[in-house]
Amino acid sequence: MTSGRSKSAPPAADRREPDPVLRKEFAERLVRTLELRGYPPYGRALFARVAKEYGVTISASRKWLSGEGFPGIETLVRIANDLKISLDYLLRGVEILFDQSSSDMEVRRSIALLQLAKSFTLVPRAEAKKIERGEHTREVIGFTRDWLERHFGAGEGEIDTCEASGDAMAPEVRAGDVVVYRKGVKAFGDNGLYVLRQGATVKLRRVSLLADGRIKLACENPSYPPETFPARRVVFGQAADPGKIAVLGRYLGSIRRAD
């Protein structure tokens, strides 16, 4: 059986747009970021300026900024570059703000900008390093509070993050993934994943309570054998004793970096 389409005709472009919820969230983040960058507040003046800068009609820019429409990928990339934010933030509401190469001034500028946006919360990493002679944490991640609540069921001040290394928890969590966990837990749940500190190492493991009172730490990757420890070796929270295994929190999910 043959189709009615000519073999020489190019395939039709996929013009599907994101669903209404994603469009609305994108529009809210874009408007908020534009205002923080000195653009007019939401209204006709903003529609006109965005339309002029990106070569579209005022009607098109109004649709972007109200959640009724969505820019093409080339325009999205240009918007992100112009506003000095990532596509990941525009599309998903989570932004990895800066890395070890960031200068103190860049870090302070980013923190100040986010603190102006009341919808943001800054979450440090478990292994974050302090800037010398400063009070700011170098490695933090900025989340919009509504995204944090919706995806992890946790509010501001309830979570911390760390970066996964190695393949012990693959395929659930891969090296480089940002692990999000609820801090302040006081007991183990049933066969749950927990972030632990053992000596200087922060790691993610599946924790089981054995009938003889020991605790088993298992990896998702079957190539790694499980470890067992007496329950007295495990403490909840930060441990002053380097011989203890400190339970930092329960795993909520992970954020995968783009390859």
Side-chain angles (χ1 to χ4, degrees), residues 34-90:
L34 288 168
E35 290 182 354
L36 287 170
R37 295 292 192 267
Y39 281 64
Y42 183 86
R44 185 168 180 81
L46 178 60
F47 304 157
R49 182 168 170 183
V50 170
K52 181 178 179 180
E53 292 194 9
Y54 295 99
V56 297
T57 64
I58 291 178
S59 175
S61 70
R62 180 190 63 77
K63 289 180 179 179
W64 296 354
L65 297 165
S66 64
E68 298 174 30
F70 204 77
I73 186 62
E74 291 184 2
T75 305
L76 273 174
V77 171
R78 185 180 164 196
I79 289 171
N81 288 338
D82 290 348
L83 298 179
K84 295 180 172 56
I85 54 176
S86 72
L87 281 173
D88 203 36
Y89 168 66
L90 273 177

Side-chain angles (χ1 to χ4, degrees), residues 100 124-130 137-140 161:
Q100 293 290 351
R125 297 209 185 166
E127 72 276 23
K129 298 178 181 178
K130 296 290 183 180
T137 302
R138 180 181 294 276
E139 293 185 359
V140 299
T161 67

Side-chain angles (χ1 to χ4, degrees), residues 127-190:
E127 72 276 23
K129 298 178 181 178
K130 296 290 183 180
I131 298 175
E132 192 173 353
R133 299 183 305 280
E135 298 179 353
H136 300 293
T137 302
R138 180 181 294 276
E139 293 185 359
V140 299
I141 298 178
F143 295 92
T144 53
R145 294 188 177 99
D146 58 346
W147 189 91
L148 195 66
E149 178 68 35
R150 187 168 62 255
H151 288 269
F152 296 118
E156 184 178 9
E158 295 181 282
I159 68 167
D160 268 334
T161 67
C162 63
E163 184 171 317
S165 60
D167 62 349
M169 299 306 290
E172 174 73 19
V173 178
R174 301 189 314 199
D177 288 358
V178 176
V179 172
V180 181
Y181 62 92
R182 186 185 298 275
K183 59 186 181 180
V185 297
K186 301 299 183 183
F188 289 122
D190 183 26

